[in-house]
Amino acid sequence: QQQDDVLPIEVPANTHKSIRKLMAGNDRYVRNASQTVQEKQLNEHQLRRRLSTLGQAPWAIMVSCSDSRCPVERVFDASPGDLFVVRVAGNICGSPIGGVIGSAEYGVEHLKS
């Protein structure tokens, strides 16, 4: 196949913004500069009430290991509603119908992540 036959993939601007937010959150985590647990608990209580009434609008979809030692939201210093996290054991996404891929597609189609 010639190079001219390949359609270029357009990356939406919000993708770059999401990557920058993930990198900044991870940088805060690495520097141990995340919000304190008490601050987060106060904010999370209010945020969870708001999310339950208004719904969620995560700005990123993450496929992560099911291992409880790697909490994605903490590693990226994210709050509830920020990330749509699909966890899987064995690092296998499986069939394109249902499963992990179907969950990620749900995040794209219904949550506009």
Side-chain angles (χ1 to χ4, degrees):
Q1 186 171 343
Q2 292 181 343
Q3 184 67 22
D4 295 336
D5 295 339
V6 178
L7 295 174
I9 297 174
E10 238 180 271
V11 178
N14 61 346
T15 300
H16 296 294
K17 182 179 177 181
S18 294
I19 291 170
R20 283 193 301 274
K21 287 172 80 170
L22 289 168
M23 291 175 66
N26 183 249
D27 181 60
R28 286 191 303 275
Y29 172 78
V30 168
R31 290 184 293 109
N32 202 25
S34 301
Q35 288 183 334
T36 67
V37 173
Q38 290 172 340
E39 287 174 333
K40 276 214 180 243
Q41 284 176 346
L42 290 174
N43 293 337
E44 282 186 18
H45 176 70
Q46 295 167 346
L47 182 57
R48 285 184 193 279
R49 291 190 78 188
R50 186 168 157 234
L51 288 170
S52 68
T53 20
L54 300 177
Q56 59 178 317
W59 45 264
I61 298 172
M62 307 289 295
V63 177
S64 172
C65 181
S66 294
D67 192 325
S68 63
R69 297 170 293 180
C70 185
V72 176
E73 294 83 358
R74 184 171 289 177
V75 170
F76 291 103
D77 194 27
S79 295
D82 287 346
L83 306 176
F84 185 74
V85 181
V86 181
R87 296 187 196 312
V88 62
N91 299 321
I92 297 173
C93 287
S95 169
I97 299 171
V100 174
I101 294 172
S103 294
E105 287 174 342
Y106 174 86
V108 172
E109 185 173 330
H110 297 283
L111 302 176
K112 307 299 182 216
S113 297

